[in-house]
Amino acid sequence: GRHSMGSSPIRAVASTQDGDHYAVSTRFECRIYNRSKGSSSWHMARDEQTTEYAATCACWFEGGSLGMAVAIGGGSGGTSVLLRSVGGSVFISEDTGCEVLAMSSLNHRDMLVVSHGDCPRSYCSWDAGSEMKRSIVAYTIHIGDGCLTPTYKMRGHSSCPINLATKRDEIVTAASGDDDTIRYWTLPSPHT
């Protein structure tokens, strides 16, 4: 099938494992599509978001305590993460204090892994934002409290880690610029 997102260029696409649902974000909106039904289940315009523009990265949660949900974040210097159910209910809308460059989900732990870039000037004096700068952070999702808690912080790139991928407890990150490296991380067992 084919869906039109208007004249604005697509910035992010994320699909569920079965490929039946996908999130598409442009500069001005984000939509969730159900491929088998050929329809959009919810639509979010720019003024509903906590960042200036629609997300530049997205990932899915399938199973676990979240059911089926999508996380979107970033934008033009965007520092926010929004976690929504497929039906459109907002679980979490949180400003992380640092640019959100890439995201991936750890369904079995109810965690969101975020690659952070630089901190906007308004956050330069904020300790939490500066701690996240150019790092990979695994956030624990607390639906009841509507918040994200930074649980693990991984550093090692000298420039912004622009992309990441996860598989179970393993994280692969890539940075460009002066760094130009790929790094591998393993999260500690949740039972230790």
Side-chain angles (χ1 to χ4, degrees):
R2 183 172 187 261
H3 298 286
S4 173
M5 291 293 287
S7 61
S8 187
I10 292 174
R11 293 182 158 202
V13 176
S15 173
T16 54
Q17 289 181 1
D18 65 7
D20 199 38
H21 289 83
Y22 56 99
V24 179
S25 181
T26 70
R27 182 175 176 185
F28 299 106
E29 65 182 333
C30 182
R31 292 184 187 189
I32 298 297
Y33 289 97
N34 182 323
R35 189 172 149 210
S36 62
K37 293 181 181 177
S39 63
S40 166
S41 62
W42 59 259
H43 166 261
M44 182 172 58
R46 178 170 68 176
D47 58 356
E48 294 179 70
Q49 294 213 23
T50 54
T51 55
E52 181 181 356
Y53 298 124
T56 54
C57 52
C59 67
W60 282 92
F61 285 88
E62 300 175 69
S65 66
L66 299 177
M68 184 176 275
V70 65
I72 58 174
S76 179
T79 61
S80 294
V81 170
L82 184 70
L83 184 62
R84 266 193 157 176
S85 71
V86 169
S89 299
V90 175
F91 293 135
I92 293 173
S93 176
E94 186 157 322
D95 191 334
T96 65
C98 253
E99 287 178 310
V100 174
L101 301 177
M103 296 188 300
S104 188
S105 59
L106 294 174
N107 291 317
H108 66 293
R109 286 195 182 198
D110 285 343
M111 294 184 101
L112 177 67
V113 181
V114 176
S115 167
H116 286 294
D118 291 322
C119 301
R121 289 184 185 174
S122 61
Y123 287 101
C124 285
S125 61
W126 188 40
D127 291 338
S130 60
E131 283 181 22
M132 307 299 181
K133 184 177 180 178
R134 297 183 181 182
S135 65
I136 307 299
V137 180
Y139 292 93
T140 300
I141 298 167
H142 302 283
I143 296 298
D145 297 329
C147 67
L148 301 172
T149 302
T151 307
Y152 303 105
K153 296 176 193 163
M154 294 147 280
R155 297 177 189 262
H157 288 294
S158 59
S159 63
C160 296
I162 57 170
N163 218 333
L164 67 89
T166 56
K167 181 178 179 183
R168 293 294 297 173
D169 294 333
E170 297 178 357
I171 302 168
V172 178
T173 61
S176 61
D178 296 334
D179 192 320
D180 205 21
T181 62
I182 294 174
R183 295 191 179 269
Y184 299 89
W185 317 86
T186 302
L187 295 180
S189 169
H191 305 293
T192 57

